[in-house]
Amino acid sequence: MTSSTPADLPINLAPTVSVIVPVYNGERDLPELTRRLLAQTYPAERLEVLWVDNGSCDRTPTLLQSAVTAATAQGRQMQALTYCGVQSSYAARNHGIRVATGEILAFTDADCYPAETWLEQLVQPFTDPAVGLVAGEVEAFPGGNWLERYADRKQTLSQKSTLAHPFCPYGQTANLAVRATIFKQVGLFRPHLTSGGDADFCWRAQREGGWQLAFSEQAIVQHHHRDTLEGLRRQWYRYGCSNRYLHELHGIDLTRELTQKERRYRLGRWLLKELPLAAVSWAKGQGAAIDLLITPLDLVCFEARTRGQRQARLPEAAHQIEGL
C-alpha cells in the first residue's frame, strides 16, 4: 500500500503538528536546534513549536526569545513557555501538551538536531488510523571523543533497542510523535518520574488505549553522546533507575546483576584474549582504537545501571497520572 507524505498533500489536509521541546540549561545546543526546526520541510502553516523552559539558570531564556523573534520574522509559529512547578522534563512536556493546538504532538529534546525532513517523515505513518504513536530514529551526532565512539558502536540511543523491549515496544521522547487525543484517553506523562516516563506512556497508550506504535526510520534526529566517563555513568545510572520505576509500575523484570565471578571472568577474558587481538588488529589498521576498551566500558555501564536499580525509589507521587 502506498500513501502520500504530508508534503504531497494539500496544506489543508496535512495534520496540524505541535513540536514540544523541554529545555533546562540548553544554551549550548539551542542555536543549532532552532535553525533545524525553522528549516523543517513540513508546511509552516500547519506547524507550531513550543519551547518549555524548566527553570534554566543560564542564557536559555534569552536564546528562546531570540528564537521566537526569528520564527516570527519568517512567518512561523513559535512560543517560549516557562514551567517551574516540578523539575522534570516530563512535567515540562505536560505543560506544553496543555498549550498545544496540534492534532499531532511531536517531541524532541534540547540536545537533539532533527533532519530537515524529520517532521515530514515522522507524521507520514499517521495516515493509518490505527497508528497512535510514531517513533523516529535517533542517531549519534558525529563526535571524535572515544566515549562518544563507544556509545555509537553500541548504538546506545537507537530506537531499535527500545522498540524491541521484551515487555512492550516504546519510543524515546527524543523522537516521538503522538496523536493529541491519546493524552485525553490515557492521561499525560507522569510528571514526578525522572526517567522511564516515555516507556510508561507508550505502554499505557498501547495496552490501555489499543493504539499501534509505528517506526519511521527516516525520521531522524541526531543526539549528542556523553563525552565524559562521569556523564556515561550518570546516563546508565538513570537507565537503572528507569528499570526500577518500570518494575514497580508495570512489573517488568529487572536486569540481572553480574556476580563477582562473572566480572572477574569478563575482565580476565578481555585482558588475556580480547585486548591482544584488538591491539594487533588496530596496529594493522584493521580495527578501531575503541575496540581496545569495549569490555571495560561495558562493565562500567553495567555497574552504573545496577546501582541505579538498587538505589532508585519510586516517588509516591509518581503513581498519579494527570488528565488532560
Side-chain angles (χ1 to χ4, degrees), residues 173-245:
T173 43
N175 193 356
L176 182 70
V178 182
R179 291 188 191 272
T181 55
I182 296 179
F183 291 101
K184 295 180 180 179
Q185 182 181 8
V186 303
L188 301 171
F189 293 106
R190 296 180 194 261
H192 293 277
L193 283 182
T194 55
S195 183
D198 41 15
D200 167 72
F201 173 78
C202 288
W203 293 347
R204 285 188 281 125
Q206 292 172 88
R207 297 167 71 87
E208 298 173 18
W211 292 97
Q212 294 179 16
L213 169 63
F215 179 44
S216 180
E217 191 168 5
Q218 299 306 311
I220 296 170
V221 302
Q222 293 178 308
H223 193 293
H224 285 287
H225 284 303
R226 287 5 180 224
D227 58 3
T228 67
L229 192 59
E230 182 56 31
L232 187 68
R233 284 196 178 102
R234 287 198 302 269
Q235 179 184 20
W236 282 86
Y237 181 87
R238 284 196 298 273
Y239 290 163
C241 293
S242 175
N243 286 353
R244 172 61 64 179
Y245 299 153

Side-chain angles (χ1 to χ4, degrees), residues 66-85:
S66 297
V68 171
T69 300
T72 301
Q74 296 182 26
R76 290 178 175 265
Q77 302 177 67
M78 183 178 287
Q79 293 187 59
L81 310 172
T82 300
Y83 177 78
C84 301

Side-chain angles (χ1 to χ4, degrees), residues 241-260:
C241 293
S242 175
N243 286 353
R244 172 61 64 179
Y245 299 153
L246 295 172
H247 171 73
E248 295 190 25
L249 291 170
H250 294 275
I252 70 165
D253 293 335
L254 293 172
T255 301
R256 186 181 69 83
E257 298 184 12
L258 289 178
T259 65
Q260 288 295 333

